[in-house]
Amino acid sequence: MQLDFTEAVKKHQAEFNLNLPESKIKSLADYYEFIQQNNEILHLVAPTSAEEFAIRHILESLTLLEFLPNGASFADIGTGAGLPSVPCLIVRDDLNGVLIESKLRKAKFLEEVLQKFELENRTIFEKKQFEELNQPDVDFITCRALDKFTRKLPKILKWSKGSKILFFGGNNLGEELENCSVKFEQKLIPQSEKRFLFIAQI
């Protein structure tokens, strides 16, 4: 299974403008394997093939890297299994993250991930809803798969004031950003027809 994942990353990474060293691909494969070991109980992600996981979850998450300058800090709202933050932190040693996840079982999993991949010194982990927190002192706010994302968007935008946002979503998220009078750029995710990364200064 790990081999299939590794081969998929190597096969498709160029489409995402990536050229990852072997050591980082190995760490990403270990992360994938750790998710699989816990997924049946915790329902971290929908079941997929190793190749689909590599494309849809890992390589998609790494599309953030193009927009994160050296030494950047970010907050990840509703990080769940650690996506998109953990793959980015694994690949880029210069990044710092604030991971926000209120569901206790997922939070316990994430604590184990941060320890396992020695990311604790570059992360702050918050086991709360984002609304319960003061906005952290970060350069970027990202969100990939939050429950009721579009409905919560106005609150998220207010909370993110002063930061740059990097949000993953479809056309409905773009429409909601327009409804909130947000001027944004959008990047089509490779191997997708309707999924984008939305970039805006709030």
Side-chain angles (χ1 to χ4, degrees):
M1 191 180 291
Q2 249 197 14
L3 181 60
D4 292 341
F5 172 88
T6 299
E7 290 175 350
V9 170
K10 290 179 178 179
K11 177 181 176 182
H12 297 287
Q13 64 173 333
E15 299 167 58
F16 291 78
N17 295 317
L18 295 167
N19 184 19
L20 300 171
E22 291 282 347
S23 61
K24 297 299 185 183
I25 295 175
K26 173 65 168 63
S27 293
L28 291 171
D30 290 342
Y31 172 56
Y32 161 72
E33 190 68 31
F34 194 55
I35 288 176
Q36 297 309 305
Q37 290 168 6
N38 290 273
N39 202 37
E40 187 173 342
I41 295 171
L42 298 180
H43 308 292
L44 298 163
V45 295
T48 64
S49 68
E51 183 170 25
E52 186 177 358
F53 191 100
I55 296 166
R56 182 180 167 192
H57 294 302
I58 300 299
L59 293 175
E60 176 179 302
S61 293
L62 294 176
T63 58
L64 283 188
L65 297 181
E66 177 185 344
F67 302 94
L68 298 175
N70 189 62
S73 59
F74 63 86
D76 182 3
I77 299 173
T79 187
L83 302 164
S85 51
V86 169
C88 293
L89 290 163
I90 286 174
V91 169
R92 287 265 301 275
D93 297 336
D94 61 288
L95 298 177
N96 292 276
V98 178
L99 280 61
I100 302 168
E101 176 54 56
S102 63
K103 294 176 181 174
L104 293 181
R105 292 205 302 171
K106 289 182 179 179
K108 180 71 168 65
F109 168 80
L110 281 167
E111 287 179 329
E112 292 179 14
V113 167
L114 297 179
Q115 184 177 23
K116 181 179 176 66
F117 293 95
E118 300 181 349
L119 301 174
E120 293 167 299
N121 63 329
R122 293 191 285 121
T123 57
I124 296 169
F125 185 44
E126 299 284 5
K127 298 181 218 178
K128 295 180 179 180
Q129 301 275 356
F130 77 92
E131 302 100 315
E132 301 175 79
L133 301 168
N134 293 324
Q135 182 190 355
D137 182 18
V138 293
D139 308 307
F140 299 87
I141 310 285
T142 189
C143 186
R144 184 172 175 269
L146 186 68
D147 289 341
K148 302 170 185 172
F149 192 178
T150 53
R151 198 174 83 183
K152 294 181 179 179
L153 186 63
K155 284 185 178 180
I156 294 173
L157 293 173
K158 184 177 180 181
W159 188 82
S160 303
K161 200 74 176 175
S163 295
K164 198 165 190 177
I165 61 166
L166 297 166
F167 291 169
F168 293 85
N171 290 321
N172 59 336
L173 180 57
E175 291 169 3
E176 196 61 35
L177 285 166
E178 289 177 346
N179 291 339
C180 294
S181 301
V182 174
K183 294 181 180 179
F184 59 86
E185 301 174 36
Q186 62 189 62
K187 174 187 174 69
L188 181 65
I189 301 294
Q191 295 205 22
S192 171
E193 295 179 359
K194 298 179 180 179
R195 189 155 171 83
F196 301 90
L197 180 63
F198 295 94
I199 307 109
Q201 180 71 49
I202 301 301

